[in-house]
Amino acid sequence: MGRRRKLRELMGAIKDKASQSKAAILCKLNTNTLSSSSSSSSSSSLHLTLLRATTHDPFTPPNPKSLAALLSFGLSSRATASSVVESLMDRLQTTHDSAVALKCLLAVHLVIKYGSFILQDQLSVYPAGGGRNYLNLSNFRDDSTPVAWELSSWVRWYAQYIENLLVTSRLLGFFVGSNSCVVEKDREEERVSSLLNANLVRETESLVSLLEEICKRPESLGLGGNRLVIEVLGLVGKDQISAMNEISVRVNEFDERLNCLSFSDSVELLGALKRSEDCEGRLLAVPNVKNDLVAGFWGLIREMKTKVGKEKESNNKLVATMRVERESFSESARFGDRVLRPSDSVRFSSARLAVNAFHLSTIQSCAR
């Protein structure tokens, strides 16, 4: 098994060296050839940079310089930024190597977090249809080695997480956890305060689903010291803190609106709060984050869940009381219709019936 693993690593290193050497030669030829267009030279340079950032090494994260060079392509034109996204996605979709796939996903995540506005914009509209599972990696399998097989589960989870992150970001209108799209706290609170209750619930549910996806990460049984996996978890952990902050902003806003929530909104919010509370103890332990801040978040969730639960119970009692009163009134009305009171006047559409009624009234008067 050890020989097979070493052979796999050697083959991956050779493949990386060969592909990078070929790309470097093409890049140099395009640069030196006067007839070569600038777009062709840029394409060759992009291809070489992408290969260097997504090697076959299953234990080492991408070289920071290669990743920085890849992101720098997004600082030029929109067409170049579009080429970066297309090339990155094409390599992700065509590779059968778990290490390459995981590094491609890591690069996509870095675009979300540190990419330029143009680069992020191109990612947000890829593909044209968007939607869930558009990365189409739910069935990814690499059984070449035990390590590759275990990394495959990380590829599937990471792809699902990034899809969830993009869906949530589209709903909120900015990339969650992005350094270049950080919304000032005052402006964010102002935006949140202007949302309708239904939209506020929808955003909260989407952010909670992001936390739930983090809880679904694979078990690192044989990858405890894998630096590539650690790099992935580091980025996800930063997103986790950002998502918790965004949830806190919305929970505080709900606290102000508690008395004006509809019954359905209360039910949906309570469900989202319960789902969020279920994530406690299962999320990532993020370094350099104070424990009291995390404890404060869970305290806020529990407090709000209690308040919404009481409000929902109060609404249930009110609805039940109104139903009983309505049924009581309806029953009284039906009973009253069956009793003929002296003050009630009876009209007949037939003259014959009117005469008979007159005679009956006369007889009753004489009898009294």
Side-chain angles (χ1 to χ4, degrees):
M1 192 66 69
R3 290 183 60 187
R4 183 181 179 186
R5 170 181 162 181
K6 290 180 179 179
L7 180 61
R8 167 77 176 181
E9 293 175 6
L10 179 60
M11 291 178 60
I14 294 173
K15 185 180 293 186
D16 288 333
K17 189 68 175 178
S19 58
Q20 290 177 28
S21 298
K22 179 181 178 181
I25 293 172
L26 291 175
C27 182
K28 188 174 182 179
L29 288 174
N30 287 330
T31 303
N32 294 335
T33 303
L34 295 177
S35 60
S36 175
S37 64
S38 60
S39 60
S40 177
S41 177
S42 176
S43 177
S44 299
S45 178
L46 170 60
H47 182 59
L48 176 59
T49 303
L50 181 59
L51 290 175
R52 287 173 175 171
T54 56
T55 62
H56 291 74
D57 186 349
F59 300 100
T60 307
N63 188 308
K65 291 183 180 180
S66 299
L67 290 173
L70 185 64
L71 294 179
S72 67
F73 283 95
L75 299 175
S76 53
S77 66
R78 187 172 294 274
T80 303
S82 177
S83 297
V84 173
V85 174
E86 289 181 4
S87 299
L88 184 56
M89 291 299 184
D90 182 64
R91 183 155 174 79
L92 175 63
Q93 295 296 326
T94 56
T95 186
H96 299 288
D97 188 280
S98 56
V100 174
L102 197 60
K103 291 177 183 181
C104 286
L105 291 171
L106 182 64
V108 173
H109 200 172
L110 287 172
V111 169
I112 295 173
K113 199 160 189 65
Y114 303 113
S116 65
F117 172 79
I118 297 177
L119 198 56
Q120 291 177 339
D121 183 59
Q122 292 302 305
L123 179 63
S124 67
V125 296
Y126 179 92
R132 292 183 180 273
N133 198 32
Y134 73 86
L135 294 179
N136 195 29
L137 293 174
S138 56
N139 294 320
F140 184 89
R141 298 288 189 279
D142 179 4
D143 59 357
S144 56
T145 65
V147 172
W149 177 258
E150 195 164 359
L151 276 180
S152 297
S153 63
W154 284 91
V155 171
R156 294 191 296 272
W157 168 78
Y158 202 18
Q160 182 64 39
Y161 170 78
I162 289 178
E163 288 171 354
N164 204 323
L165 178 62
L166 289 172
V167 169
T168 301
S169 298
R170 288 191 186 107
L171 181 62
L172 269 60
F174 60 90
F175 284 101
V176 177
S178 171
N179 285 13
S180 60
C181 296
V182 172
V183 182
E184 296 179 6
K185 186 175 181 181
D186 294 340
R187 290 179 56 194
E188 174 63 0
E189 291 178 352
E190 182 180 351
R191 187 193 74 84
V192 168
S193 64
S194 66
L195 293 173
L196 298 175
N197 289 341
N199 293 337
L200 195 58
V201 170
R202 193 175 301 113
E203 287 191 359
T204 305
E205 289 178 328
S206 188
L207 286 164
V208 170
S209 70
L210 200 59
L211 296 185
E212 290 177 321
E213 196 61 47
I214 295 175
C215 295
K216 297 176 184 177
R217 64 191 181 279
E219 295 289 338
S220 301
L221 298 178
L223 300 173
N226 189 302
R227 292 193 293 133
L228 177 56
V229 172
I230 293 174
E231 186 80 10
V232 168
L233 293 178
L235 287 177
V236 174
K238 293 177 181 178
D239 291 345
Q240 175 182 299
I241 298 301
S242 297
M244 292 169 74
N245 289 334
E246 295 298 335
I247 292 173
S248 297
V249 171
R250 284 152 184 79
V251 169
N252 287 327
E253 178 62 27
F254 276 121
D255 196 21
E256 300 291 331
R257 305 186 186 188
L258 200 56
N259 295 328
C260 60
L261 289 177
S262 68
F263 180 76
S264 60
D265 289 338
S266 297
V267 171
E268 292 178 5
L269 176 59
L270 187 60
L273 292 172
K274 288 180 178 178
R275 286 165 49 204
S276 178
E277 193 176 33
D278 290 341
C279 294
E280 186 176 6
R282 299 162 55 208
L283 292 173
L284 293 169
V286 183
N288 302 324
V289 176
K290 295 181 179 179
N291 293 332
D292 56 344
L293 295 178
V294 177
F297 171 79
W298 296 119
L300 178 65
I301 294 297
R302 282 190 289 270
E303 180 183 355
M304 192 61 188
K305 191 186 77 169
T306 301
K307 289 182 178 180
V308 176
K310 289 181 179 179
E311 188 70 19
K312 178 174 172 287
E313 185 178 351
S314 176
N315 289 337
N316 283 338
K317 290 181 179 179
L318 180 61
V319 170
T321 301
M322 293 175 63
R323 184 182 296 113
V324 169
E325 291 178 351
R326 185 169 62 250
E327 291 176 353
S328 177
F329 175 80
S330 177
E331 183 64 25
S332 299
R334 288 196 300 271
F335 181 75
D337 290 342
R338 293 195 293 266
V339 178
L340 184 64
R341 292 181 290 273
S343 58
D344 293 337
S345 59
V346 182
R347 296 184 178 182
F348 298 93
S349 59
S350 170
R352 178 176 59 82
L353 293 177
V355 172
N356 290 339
F358 172 77
H359 287 304
L360 178 60
S361 176
T362 303
I363 293 172
Q364 289 176 340
S365 298
C366 294
R368 284 196 297 266

